[in-house]
Amino acid sequence: MSYDQKLVNHIYRGVTGHIPMPRENRAAQFSPFAALTGYDDTIREESRVTEERRYPEEGLLSELDETIRENPDSEMEITYFVPDRKKSGGEHVTVRGRIRRVMTESGILVLDNGSVIHLSAITGIRALKEK
């Protein structure tokens, strides 16, 4: 009888000298191997879409000034551009709130909800009618 035949007919009695691994833990040995760590994050980042900045029409600052003067206590809807930190472009955000303060020397607009907006980023403004 050859060695192969002896091995096939051999009865396995387990390994002596250590505690056997629980059956549910054995599957962890065969878990998938992530050879390209970070690849999924890179693909997700590349597929994320950003917008091109829309530039305001001529006279937006005078329109902003006029809107604030005519509606001092009205709620405003302001659209402004927020640049993306990782890619070119960004997104246009629209917020609502009452204007608390306009700091022309530093170019900042502060709303009552705590939003701080750079005047140069504003692409649109309109006063909301009170109901």
Side-chain angles (χ1 to χ4, degrees):
M1 186 182 286
S2 71
Y3 178 75
D4 291 338
Q5 291 172 337
K6 286 182 185 179
L7 190 59
V8 169
N9 295 327
H10 181 71
I11 298 172
Y12 179 71
R13 292 186 172 76
V15 178
T16 59
H18 69 79
I19 301 170
M21 180 185 290
R23 193 171 199 76
E24 55 273 0
N25 292 353
R26 290 188 60 177
Q29 297 180 66
F30 305 105
S31 64
F33 174 68
L36 300 172
T37 55
Y39 183 72
D40 290 338
D41 295 334
T42 303
I43 294 296
R44 198 174 305 113
E45 177 63 28
E46 283 298 317
S47 65
R48 191 170 53 86
V49 177
T50 58
E51 299 176 35
E52 290 293 321
R53 181 177 181 161
R54 293 186 309 254
Y55 287 93
E57 296 173 8
E58 284 293 319
L60 179 70
L61 287 178
S62 61
E63 179 186 333
L64 171 65
D65 188 43
E66 184 179 325
T67 304
I68 293 170
R69 229 180 308 110
E70 290 177 1
N71 308 289
D73 294 326
S74 295
E75 187 172 13
M76 302 285 178
E77 185 175 79
I78 301 171
T79 303
Y80 63 100
F81 183 76
V82 178
D84 194 278
R85 293 180 183 206
K86 295 183 178 181
K87 297 172 79 170
S88 65
E91 69 175 319
H92 288 88
V93 178
T94 301
V95 293
R96 289 182 174 192
R98 286 178 167 57
I99 296 175
R100 184 188 314 161
R101 192 170 175 196
V102 179
M103 297 182 278
T104 53
E105 63 280 350
S106 57
I108 293 177
L109 176 82
V110 181
L111 299 180
D112 63 348
N113 63 10
S115 297
V116 177
I117 303 168
H118 289 276
L119 293 174
S120 62
I122 296 175
T123 57
I125 185 168
R126 72 183 180 103
L128 301 174
K129 301 297 179 194
E130 299 293 325
K131 293 182 180 181

